[in-house]
Amino acid sequence: MSQDGSVEAPDSALRYEPIAVSDEATVVATYEPGGGDPGYQSEAELEAKFIKMLGQQAYERLHLTSSADLEVNLRRQLELLNNVVFSDDEWKWFFAKRVASKNEGIVEKTARIQEDPIQVLARDDGTSKNIKLIDKSNIHANRLQVINQYETVGEGAGTARKHRYDVTILVNGLPLVHMELKRRGVPLKEAFNQINRYQRESFWADAGLFQYVQLFVISNGTHTKYYANTTRARKVAESEGGKRGRKQTSNSFEFTSWWTDAENRRIGDLTAFTRTFFAKHTLLNVLTKYCVFDVSRTLLVMRPYQIVAAERILRRVASSAKATGPEAGGYIWHTTGSGKTLTSFKTAQLASKMEGIDKVLFVVDRKDLDYQTMLEYNRFERGSVNGSRSTAELKRQLQDHNASIIVTTIQKLSRFIEQNKGHEITKAHSVLIFDECHRSQFGDMGTSVRKAFRRSHLFGFTGTPIFPENASGATKDTTEKIFGDRLHSYTIVDAINDGNVLPFRVSYRNTVRVADDVEDKQVAGIDTEEVLRHPERIRKIVGHVLDHFDTKTMRTQGYSLDEKRVRGFNSMLATASIPALKIYYDEFARQQTERAATDPSYQPLKIATIFSYAVNEDEQVGGILDDEAMDADQLDASSRDFLERAINDYNASFGTMYDTSAAKFENYYKNLALRVRDREVDLVIVVNMFLTGFNATTLNTLWVDKNLKSHGLIQAFSRTNRILNSVKAYGNIVCFRNLEKAVDDALVLFGNSESRGVVLLKPYTYYHAAYVSLVEQLLEQCPPGTEPFGEAQEKAFVVLFGEILKLRNILTSFDEFAHDESLPPRQLQNYTSVYNALWERRRKRDTGEKESILDDVVFEIELIKQVEVNIDYILILVQRWRDEGQTKTGEEARTPLRAVEDAVDASPSLRNKKDLIMDFVDSMSVTGEVSDDWRIFVTQRREAELAEIIDAERLRPEQTKSFIEAAFRDGAIATHGTAITQVLPPVSRFAKDNNLGTKKERVIAKLTEYFERFSGLA
């Protein structure tokens, strides 16, 4: 080590910035960025340097060129790990049955690594032996090797293609980590796109060993990120052809992660990333401890701040076995939306396995959080956690030695202590983890729990700690005073910088006019509930919400949600009190009825509400939103009758049977929460309920008519900023009260003095200026009426137009953008047509001789769909063409028809329907309603084309028709389950040349194409 603390390689050719590394910690303690590499660096040079660094970190360098070489090395590595020598027959059997079964894919192989890494070998002498694929108990027993430029042949667009992978890390011979590199300056997303293509086209090739890859790393030298082989936003890949391609999954770039040090400083440069993330103990810890393969068969990999939090809690448990009180615990400040449930789950899981720990209790507020946390915990690992529905059940679980992790509410735990004073479990060595350090942890219940569990370690997780600045009550307790030291923090500023949550766009609407001679300091005096609940004020607010709902929730924009196509997002209205909520609910019903009466095409919003009794409904001590009860028993008669009526409206909308009785009200809460998450409810009106502890990625807008501050403000705003996809770029907040100072104060308290510029979107002028500049570049590089020529121009066009789409996505929710003419609609349509044509050409390329440079360019297809036209618009153009065709001749008569073709070409969802639309134009009658003629035409073509498929594939006619009708009703083709098998003709499994699997895939492909062709037309 040199005098300045930097590390020198043995040959002094490489120098690294100083990094403090602990043998215990997975994440480095501190990292100070260095100057980086000067000058140009090619991709090959970047790769060579990376591999050299791995060699200096004790990775074995290999040169493998074939699948056979990979298998030979795997055999040798497993022999070394397990101290065994395979006979040729043993290895052949073990490889075919326990490692590389032809019937397994990514999911099965991921399950083997994460859940079942010890496989049984049947030996030649009839005995059995356990064979480890990876050693999770002693990570340093595993051997790491590095290979590069491994070649294989895959299949793209139905044609064989050669693929050459950049760098792969072998763990005991299995490829578990794969890396794609791009030269400096190339967008990181291109490497991400390339891995997606490999997943579709070739990771399954040969013996399919590359389907074992658990982690991907992408880098352009300057920026480096990592992610798991599947993500929370996984979806069916856009097939480039070939039956295998349709089976693979595609990741979402929004869920890739930065690596950081323990202080959340980003480690993006590849040199520093290699020294830290690829340190042997770090990489093996991430692979063996900090991945979660959940019950939906999705692999989640923890982010560095989550790992730091878990390890610091575990270290505090280990180092303070005999300590009591705050010295034995601490708290984690991780901002709302940063994945505290996953962090706490992994912490609880690891703590429950520590020697001397008897129980781990995860303590939450309220029954709804109890229920939600149970679902989340059991989503990570089914059966890993016990939920307690009653105090008696909690007592049974506390006494059950097999129940190592228990989720309960502080209310139930407090009642248990009161009813079982001196119970032996309170003397046990336990770990108590409190989710969201709310008021109940600061009151009598929290005090009783802390007194009872004196030998236990108490840890708090919170996104909004109680500091002296926002403390309240007689004792002025803070989070630190109750729980002990802050063990780690990850603020809202950190999360937005990392892209783990979205920023907010906050707008303010003045709803109370103040006389000109009233000073500002007097305005607060008229802010009474009497004024704010005035029917005229609420009438105007409801009108504003209905007028701007489509804009704010982006209803013109489509995206995929759980394999269904939906448009836009949903929202929540936060009211100050139950009386205010009642007025709002009835006013929405009244105004929507009026709009439907005057406009037959008006589609009313689906509106629901939920509330119950809260002790201090209007009072927010310290800014903490008071918890509402999970039953309606304490409501006054008028409020309960109103709630009963609102639930009856909900029952009528969704065919349910809920009411305000104790059991059914809780189920109503759960059902409403689910429908909000599934975007079946457009607007939910609340007082406090759902403003904390409720997550719905489809929710993007919060309408606020409620005084919020500090803790409660951040909690409520954070309902809107969960990441979903590229369409959802921020959380939308519309305030009908003057909360600007409260917003600024909260951002300073829970972020820092500079947080406003990070957490809040910039003003309209900032984005519009950037948009106008890009449009000018577009018009110059590709003037209207021309198209890019050659792949270099095509790539530049795709990148530039993609940036324009991203800015339009943000600008569309600004009212000022409604009449912007920087890119007129017709020009936008034409450029969109060119963009779509390039996208389709990339997808359907039929030659494997040469890889196009468009292969790895990012096409913003989710964003392009916000500017697409629908069939109603097309029919209006057709009507215009027919009307003008009767009075005009020649070229003039064809102008509206060209408008029809241009509009269809500009729509991704209508391009595959173009022949239908143009055939309809040719077949139109001179008179009659266009819409009626269209419905008749589409019905006839649907029936005819389905009959052709049934005849060609010899399908069961009635079952096929029912199957397709169900698909149009549900919005997706059911490719799994028994429904598709009932469509297929009966085939004997013993018949010659029977290939049921191939037949099924072919039928699914045809029916999917048919469904997409006719979807949205009738």
Side-chain angles (χ1 to χ4, degrees):
M1 182 174 289
S2 64
Q3 290 181 344
D4 64 3
S6 62
V7 180
E8 293 187 10
D11 60 359
S12 297
L14 299 173
R15 293 170 62 87
Y16 308 112
E17 51 272 58
I19 296 172
V21 183
S22 163
D23 290 336
E24 290 182 320
T26 300
V27 178
V28 298
T30 59
Y31 157 69
E32 295 295 335
D37 291 299
Y40 176 83
Q41 190 176 40
S42 69
E43 185 178 316
E45 290 169 334
L46 196 68
E47 182 177 304
K49 178 180 176 181
F50 172 62
I51 293 173
K52 183 176 182 180
M53 289 181 63
L54 291 180
Q56 293 166 345
Q57 292 174 205
Y59 285 66
E60 181 188 357
R61 177 77 167 93
L62 290 182
H63 298 277
L64 303 181
T65 58
S66 68
S67 177
D69 292 342
L70 203 60
E71 183 183 340
V72 168
N73 179 66
L74 172 62
R75 175 176 176 174
R76 178 59 183 150
Q77 294 304 308
L78 292 181
E79 287 177 336
L80 291 171
L81 177 66
N82 293 279
N83 193 25
V84 67
V85 176
F86 296 104
S87 71
D88 289 345
D89 286 342
E90 286 173 348
W91 174 251
K92 184 178 180 181
W93 179 88
F94 186 77
F95 185 74
K97 300 293 184 183
R98 296 289 183 262
V99 176
S101 171
K102 292 182 180 180
N103 296 322
E104 294 178 341
I106 292 174
V107 172
E108 293 81 7
K109 288 166 183 171
T110 299
R112 183 168 293 129
I113 294 299
Q114 296 299 328
E115 300 174 340
D116 195 20
I118 300 177
Q119 297 289 307
V120 178
L121 166 68
R123 307 218 66 169
D124 292 340
D125 60 7
T127 61
S128 299
K129 180 173 177 58
N130 288 339
I131 301 295
K132 296 177 183 176
L133 299 182
I134 185 169
D135 193 330
K136 293 192 172 185
S137 58
N138 178 18
I139 62 168
H140 295 292
N142 302 290
R143 289 174 169 81
L144 300 182
Q145 300 168 305
V146 55
I147 63 173
N148 72 313
Q149 299 301 312
Y150 179 89
E151 287 191 6
T152 189
V153 177
E155 185 180 278
T159 306
R161 274 195 205 174
K162 280 187 178 180
H163 286 158
R164 182 178 293 170
Y165 307 149
D166 283 350
V167 182
T168 306
I169 307 300
L170 308 179
V171 182
N172 305 324
L174 284 173
L176 296 191
V177 183
H178 180 69
M179 184 169 197
E180 283 298 320
L181 293 161
K182 295 294 179 183
R183 62 177 170 79
R184 293 181 188 274
V186 173
L188 200 57
K189 208 168 179 182
E190 290 191 21
F192 176 86
N193 247 29
Q194 189 166 335
I195 287 175
N196 273 356
R197 184 158 56 87
Y198 291 161
Q199 282 188 296
R200 290 193 301 269
E201 296 181 5
S202 63
F203 277 174
W204 47 264
D206 301 322
L209 290 180
F210 273 82
Q211 289 181 318
Y212 272 102
V213 173
Q214 303 293 283
L215 301 177
F216 292 111
V217 177
I218 49 178
S219 180
N220 60 7
T222 306
H223 296 141
T224 310
K225 300 185 81 174
Y226 72 104
Y227 58 101
N229 64 20
T230 53
T231 74
R232 286 169 289 177
R234 78 179 193 176
K235 57 187 177 181
V236 177
E238 294 154 357
S239 171
E240 289 194 4
K243 61 186 180 183
R244 286 188 181 273
R246 275 186 285 272
K247 285 185 174 180
Q248 306 309 315
T249 58
S250 174
N251 298 310
S252 170
F253 186 73
E254 284 75 26
F255 289 99
T256 57
S257 297
W258 297 103
W259 190 247
T260 69
D261 67 8
E263 300 302 315
N264 306 317
R265 286 185 286 257
R266 186 181 299 173
I267 303 176
D269 183 79
L270 181 57
T271 298
F273 187 93
T274 306
R275 294 286 291 171
T276 55
F277 184 87
F278 281 106
K280 293 179 74 172
H281 78 284
T282 294
L283 184 64
L284 290 169
N285 271 341
V286 172
L287 284 169
T288 59
K289 288 183 185 176
Y290 298 116
C291 288
V292 175
F293 194 49
D294 70 17
V295 297
S296 68
R297 306 289 81 183
T298 298
L299 185 66
L300 310 176
V301 57
M302 293 174 71
R303 297 175 176 130
Y305 62 87
Q306 295 174 308
I307 296 171
V308 173
E311 291 190 340
R312 288 189 176 173
I313 288 177
L314 297 174
R315 199 173 305 145
R316 177 59 61 96
V317 171
S319 64
S320 60
K322 295 182 180 180
T324 59
E327 292 77 17
Y331 77 95
I332 301 295
W333 173 14
H334 282 185
T335 191
T336 304
S338 61
K340 291 193 299 294
T341 308
L342 174 58
T343 310
S344 65
F345 165 76
K346 180 54 74 171
T347 304
Q349 187 186 58
L350 295 172
S352 68
K353 297 174 182 177
M354 292 179 71
E355 187 175 348
I357 297 300
D358 301 309
K359 292 284 180 190
V360 177
L361 276 71
F362 192 76
V363 186
V364 298
D365 262 329
R366 305 184 318 189
K367 290 181 182 177
D368 58 314
L369 281 181
D370 185 17
Y371 168 75
Q372 183 169 317
T373 306
M374 265 287 294
L375 287 182
E376 288 293 301
Y377 265 41
N378 281 313
R379 181 176 74 85
F380 298 143
E381 184 179 337
R382 184 177 284 115
S384 66
V385 60
N386 302 84
S388 50
R389 293 182 176 274
S390 65
T391 306
E393 190 174 343
L394 173 60
K395 181 177 180 180
R396 284 195 298 272
Q397 290 169 358
L398 289 170
Q399 294 172 168
D400 181 359
H401 295 295
N402 295 318
S404 58
I405 304 176
I406 299 170
V407 171
T408 187
T409 63
I410 192 167
Q411 290 84 356
K412 276 184 284 210
L413 187 58
S414 179
R415 282 197 299 271
F416 165 80
I417 292 168
E418 186 178 338
Q419 296 168 10
N420 300 271
K421 294 189 184 301
H423 193 283
E424 62 178 13
I425 193 64
T426 61
K427 301 179 179 66
H429 191 192
S430 303
V431 173
L432 276 66
I433 299 173
F434 291 82
D435 182 45
E436 283 303 339
C437 306
H438 264 238
R439 179 184 300 165
S440 52
Q441 275 92 34
F442 289 74
D444 294 340
M445 286 185 289
T447 302
S448 68
V449 170
R450 291 193 297 276
K451 284 183 177 178
F453 286 86
R454 290 189 179 278
R455 279 201 62 209
S456 299
H457 303 269
L458 274 62
F459 298 97
F461 275 83
T462 180
T464 46
I466 304 301
F467 299 115
E469 293 88 337
N470 64 322
S472 60
T475 60
K476 296 283 185 182
D477 283 338
T478 64
T479 304
E480 185 169 352
K481 184 176 178 182
I482 295 294
F483 288 96
D485 299 337
R486 184 195 307 172
L487 301 181
H488 191 249
S489 15
Y490 185 76
T491 69
I492 189 169
V493 176
D494 295 322
I496 290 174
N497 272 327
D498 288 347
N500 292 329
V501 297
L502 302 172
F504 301 113
R505 185 202 163 200
V506 183
S507 57
Y508 302 94
R509 294 287 178 265
N510 183 25
T511 60
V512 178
R513 190 180 70 82
V514 182
D516 294 337
D517 58 346
V518 177
E519 296 181 8
D520 289 344
K521 64 183 179 182
Q522 293 176 298
V523 173
I526 68 164
D527 253 5
T528 64
E529 281 300 309
E530 182 180 359
V531 173
L532 296 172
R533 284 207 302 265
H534 193 281
E536 179 62 17
R537 175 180 179 271
I538 288 183
R539 183 187 68 79
K540 289 182 178 179
I541 290 176
V542 169
H544 180 89
V545 171
L546 293 176
D547 289 342
H548 295 82
F549 189 88
D550 287 357
T551 301
K552 299 302 182 188
T553 60
M554 307 172 84
R555 284 304 165 97
T556 61
Q557 303 177 32
Y559 60 93
S560 296
L561 179 68
D562 295 332
E563 298 185 2
K564 293 183 181 180
R565 194 75 195 162
V566 297
R567 301 194 73 83
F569 305 101
N570 47 11
S571 69
M572 188 182 299
L573 169 61
T575 64
S577 63
I578 291 174
L581 180 148
K582 293 166 155 181
I583 301 171
Y584 268 113
Y585 185 85
D586 285 339
E587 183 61 24
F588 270 108
R590 190 186 67 76
Q591 289 198 30
Q592 291 213 110
T593 300
E594 283 182 357
R595 293 183 183 222
T598 57
D599 180 6
S601 66
Y602 178 72
Q603 294 292 320
L605 302 178
K606 288 187 177 178
I607 297 176
T609 186
I610 188 167
F611 60 87
S612 66
Y613 178 78
V615 179
N616 296 301
E617 186 178 283
D618 299 320
E619 182 186 359
Q620 297 169 31
V621 179
I624 299 175
L625 296 174
D626 197 34
D627 295 330
E628 292 183 40
M630 272 304 291
D631 59 57
D633 292 344
Q634 298 181 65
L635 288 172
D636 62 74
S638 172
S639 295
R640 185 157 186 172
D641 289 345
F642 178 89
L643 181 59
E644 196 78 52
R645 172 161 65 87
I647 294 177
N648 284 336
D649 292 344
Y650 182 90
N651 291 337
S653 294
F654 297 106
T656 52
M657 297 180 66
Y658 301 113
D659 56 40
T660 61
S661 62
K664 288 192 176 182
F665 182 75
E666 186 171 344
N667 288 331
Y668 170 62
Y669 172 92
K670 295 173 184 177
N671 190 267
L672 175 58
L674 182 63
R675 291 189 192 277
V676 174
R677 291 188 185 101
D678 289 345
R679 220 224 50 145
E680 295 177 26
V681 172
D682 297 312
L683 173 67
V684 57
I685 307 175
V686 301
V687 180
N688 285 346
M689 217 172 252
F690 282 13
L691 291 184
T692 62
F694 173 75
N695 298 325
T697 56
T698 61
L699 200 149
N700 87 318
T701 300
L702 178 70
W703 315 88
V704 183
D705 188 16
K706 181 183 186 74
N707 290 327
L708 294 169
K709 62 181 180 180
S710 58
H711 182 288
L713 185 144
I714 296 295
Q715 287 280 342
F717 282 20
S718 296
R719 299 314 103 205
T720 66
N721 72 335
R722 300 300 197 273
I723 291 175
L724 177 62
N725 53 27
S726 58
V727 178
K728 185 179 177 183
Y730 50 87
N732 227 339
I733 313 295
V734 182
C735 299
F736 299 112
R737 300 195 181 194
N738 185 8
L739 299 180
E740 191 163 6
K741 185 177 187 306
V743 169
D744 291 344
D745 290 346
L747 295 182
V748 170
L749 185 63
F750 298 116
N752 55 50
S753 59
E754 306 298 322
S755 61
R756 197 178 197 280
V758 176
V759 178
L760 303 183
L761 279 189
K762 293 178 174 63
Y764 171 78
T765 51
Y766 172 86
Y767 299 104
H768 188 254
Y771 174 74
V772 170
S773 175
L774 290 178
V775 168
E776 289 173 352
Q777 290 181 47
L778 178 67
L779 295 173
E780 182 180 342
Q781 293 179 17
C782 186
T786 66
E787 294 191 13
F789 179 77
E791 285 206 330
Q793 285 189 21
E794 289 173 351
K795 181 176 181 179
F797 173 83
V798 170
V799 171
L800 180 57
F801 196 65
E803 292 302 313
I804 289 173
L805 289 172
K806 290 176 188 175
L807 281 171
R808 284 186 65 90
N809 187 49
I810 293 175
L811 287 165
T812 47
S813 74
F814 285 89
D815 296 334
E816 301 97 309
F817 193 65
H819 305 292
D820 180 81
E821 287 291 325
S822 304
L823 193 60
R826 178 57 63 87
Q827 287 185 3
L828 176 63
Q829 217 171 70
N830 291 337
Y831 283 124
T832 303
S833 299
V834 175
Y835 192 82
N836 284 331
L838 292 173
W839 175 56
E840 285 194 354
R841 199 175 79 201
R842 187 203 70 167
R843 292 174 64 216
K844 298 181 178 180
R845 197 173 62 255
D846 57 4
T847 173
E849 294 301 313
K850 177 186 174 186
E851 287 193 7
S852 167
I853 64 173
L854 292 178
D855 278 347
D856 305 318
V857 173
V858 179
F859 281 83
E860 303 288 352
I861 292 304
E862 289 290 3
L863 297 184
I864 199 76
K865 290 181 179 178
Q866 69 173 281
V867 297
E868 71 175 336
V869 296
N870 57 27
I871 193 63
D872 294 331
Y873 176 74
I874 296 295
L875 294 181
I876 291 171
L877 294 180
V878 171
Q879 179 76 54
R880 188 182 304 162
W881 168 76
R882 189 176 70 175
D883 294 344
E884 294 183 6
Q886 295 177 18
T887 58
K888 297 179 180 178
T889 58
E891 189 62 27
E892 272 192 327
R894 286 195 53 81
T895 300
L897 185 59
R898 280 201 301 274
V900 172
E901 293 186 86
D902 289 345
V904 172
D905 286 339
S907 170
S909 63
L910 292 182
R911 287 174 72 90
N912 65 342
K913 305 168 176 57
K914 184 175 181 179
D915 65 311
L916 280 174
I917 294 168
M918 302 318 293
D919 286 350
F920 168 65
V921 171
D922 292 339
S923 69
M924 276 181 55
S925 60
V926 178
T927 60
E929 287 290 331
V930 169
S931 56
D932 292 340
D933 291 348
W934 171 251
R935 279 192 290 271
I936 294 169
F937 175 82
V938 168
T939 300
Q940 292 173 344
R941 288 291 291 266
R942 266 181 61 171
E943 292 174 354
E945 293 190 20
L946 183 60
E948 288 179 11
I949 296 173
I950 291 172
D951 184 58
E953 296 294 340
R954 294 182 293 115
L955 306 179
R956 294 182 169 116
E958 293 307 315
Q959 288 87 339
T960 305
K961 291 174 184 175
S962 298
F963 178 81
I964 285 296
E965 287 306 315
F968 283 120
R969 182 190 68 236
D970 299 336
I973 285 280
T975 57
H976 303 290
T978 59
I980 185 64
T981 58
Q982 292 172 358
V983 165
L984 301 173
V987 178
S988 170
R989 294 185 180 275
F990 304 102
K992 186 179 180 182
D993 299 328
N994 166 48
N995 194 336
L996 191 62
T998 302
K999 170 82 170 180
K1000 180 180 175 182
E1001 287 190 3
R1002 187 172 67 248
V1003 169
I1004 287 174
K1006 284 189 175 183
L1007 292 179
T1008 299
E1009 184 178 351
Y1010 169 85
F1011 169 78
E1012 291 174 351
R1013 179 171 165 79
F1014 287 98
S1015 180
L1017 291 186

